[in-house]
Amino acid sequence: MRDAAPQTIYLADYTPYGFIIDDVALHFDLDPRKTRVKSRISFRPTPDASDKTFFLHGENLSLVSAMIDGTPVSPEVTPQGLTCDVPDAPFVWEAEVEIDPMGNTALEGLYMSNGMYCTQCEAEGFRKITYYPDRPDVMAVFTVTINGPHPVLLSNGNPVSSGNDTAEWRDPWPKPAYLFALVAGDLVAHPGSFTTKSGRKVDLNLYVRPGDEGKCAFGMQALKDSMKWDEDVYGREYDLDLFNIVAVDDFNMGAMENKGLNIFNSSAVLASPETSTDMNFERIEAIIAHEYFHNWTGNRITCRDWFQLCLKEGLTVYRDSQFTSDMRSAAVKRIGDVIDLRARQFPEDQGPLAHPVRPESFQEINNFYTATVYEKGAEVIGMLKLLVGDAAYSKALDLYFDRHDGQACTIEDWLQVFEDTTGRDLGQFKRWYSQAGTPQLSVTESWDHGTLTLHFKQHTPASAATADPQPYVLPIAVGLIGQDGDEVHETTVLEMTQAEQSFVFDDLGTRPVASVLRGFSAPVVLTQDLSDADRAHLLAHDTDPFNRWEQGRMLAYGSLLAMIREGKAPNKDWLAGIRAVIGDETLDPAYRALMLGLPSQSDLARALSEAGDTPDPDIIYAATEATRAAMADAFADLLPTLYRRHTVDAPFEPNAKQAGKRALSNAALSLLTRNDDGVLAQEQYDAADNMTQQLSALANLVRAGRGNKAVEAFEAQWKADRLVMDKWFGLQVMEADPEDAHEVVETLTKHPDFNWKNPNRFRAVLGAFAAHHAGFHHASGAGYRLLADWLIQLDPVNPQTTARMCSAFQTWKRYDADRQDMIKAELDRILSQPGLSRDTTEMLTRIRG
Ligand code: ARG
Ligand code: ZN
């Protein structure tokens, strides 16, 4: 049943729940179409609660019976839940409901995936399992019994008993319902174990479908590394005797941190050299760490309400990025994170979906699992750490864990521990949580007899979410590079608090070049009046690896924008600067591979529209292609050496060192392919013994228009592997010529293996298409129509995945009037569908503006 008129929920309306739960017992009799769930919940009134209404959430449940203290009652049931008269004293609520896991295609609550039962309860899925106060500030201990004819029956916590087709679990840690999980099916365990720093042995298992056993070892190792890292760096020890991870094929997001029973999208945990790329390995390691780290930042300390989502997500993303930096290369990780932030968060923050890191209202909370809450939320923590320093950060975190263990907290609680440990007033800093929009920071210089003054101005454009943004506290990391290339002033963090502010560096001999916003010390758009020569100087000499890369990128932007606007040839100084860096064998190959990247076409569209121009996707595409061709020519003599020298001959290992070499040799291959008709790519394809090499070769062959044979061979080889076939589908879309990308998509959607109800497969094709800038924005409007058709088809089946993909349209106001009209027509067509989900309705209404 759907809501007639979606309700808007406001942070300001928060009130505590009127009851405390001492104990929850759940009993499941599993059946694909008629699962019975019995609940027995001990309630007592919260002393002095202002709201004494007894309300339990419940959706898509058929209530079989309800009792209070053993006496049958007849609650008042609505599509959202029930209310009931209850005693003004402790009482026991018992209910039995029937649910339909097989019919649950939304993949929220208890559902079935390839014959196994699994759950996804965050944010508000538990209410589809039984009647309950489904809000994160209600925490309780759960005992769960599961009956069903399945070899594996799992829930949270520790096993109490198990018998034939039955198992009992008890989780001793009070938790909100969104952390509940249940899994049942014919699964195999890949076991492991970890001994905590206090000497407790924890059993670890990675549960997978039979056939996937060979893809578990890497994930298991990543889990152990994460457990060790959290002890070493944050002093956090695991707190149960068992930690289980389950891989599931049908999953809306990446993974979920259910207490002691993490559930993962199989794409975010299963890995083997033959089937996974280096990028897959790195992502899997990070997601396993992320979910594991939630055990403390999320589970032991959770969120009071869903407006506080960044409290756990921003912090946990920040922690997993620290972990990846420690495991791999910090510079490469930072650059990758900034590329991602600019690609996903900036468009959100600068368009109709802009919202603060802590939003103040929502209709459907699933629509707020965003790059702003997650990635900008993590940036805010990075800034806080930079401002207070590493030692104070550690002290504040220790206090946070001490003070709030077992609680459901707010951003105010989080900031308070920093105020208490440092004595700082974070009132202004808090704007990072309450205001939307990307700050625009500009810097100009003046030079006077050995004194350099940097004049900064910050300005944040108004948005629907924040009408009048006030100045932020900005940590601006600055260093100075002398004319001879030496650093004359090491990194110092300037603290900007005003709309305009100047900082002085004196006692300088000759005028240096200012390296500003090192390490991308604040998530802003920086405008710096540097000449191309100064940028090239920093590209050659900056000691900050981020800024060195950034100057190369800025030169690339300059070159591409001049080509787009004025038809200019590529900037020779930029090419020469990049050439010097990629040929420098003292530098990390992974870092050099990043230097060979270009801004994406949608980043270029964003840059043009930030400057007040209307981006033309065809011209952007052509300029990018011409620039790649110019790179291939300018580096022609260097590329074969780079390719050979960094091709890995040793047996495949998914470590950063080998991955970096492969990244560089494959970056070289993609340029070489432009001049050799795919000969080398075909050679690499034929010789490949791992997916990184195979997929890269395939992409190059398809791009060169020589891929037909390899595409067929690849399909024949990998037909039976769902995750590899996702790559096969996705690659053909990503590498399609813009002119016929929509036709490629239409053909692929008719492929017998295009199971559109599987979120991974849907995203592999339609998600890749939405990200194909020139193909999606085809002047005919065919791309818009095609995506809209599929969103209309998916919405009744899976609102969450549909709604997420609506963000493909969020940048629509950048484009010309014809494209805008066509997009608007598609938005209206989707919005006019009868019974459109709350998720999709909210997204499209906001996007349409
Ligand atoms: N807490 C999970 C994570 O980031 C995300 C789950 C979100 N699920 C959802 N349906 N909104 O690790
Ligand atoms: Zn998370």
Side-chain angles (χ1 to χ4, degrees), residues 257 290-291 294 312-313 316 374:
E257 70 264 23
H290 179 97
E291 305 311 332
H294 268 315
K312 73 179 180 78
E313 296 303 346
T316 305
Y374 276 64

Side-chain angles (χ1 to χ4, degrees), residues 354-388:
H355 53 276
V357 169
R358 181 173 69 177
E360 274 154 28
S361 68
F362 62 75
Q363 291 178 355
E364 171 50 62
I365 184 57
N366 283 330
N367 289 336
F368 285 83
Y369 284 71
T370 60
T372 297
V373 170
Y374 276 64
E375 276 74 29
K376 189 177 179 181
E379 292 297 320
V380 171
I381 291 172
M383 286 190 285
L384 194 51
K385 181 157 176 277
L386 209 51
L387 289 169
V388 303

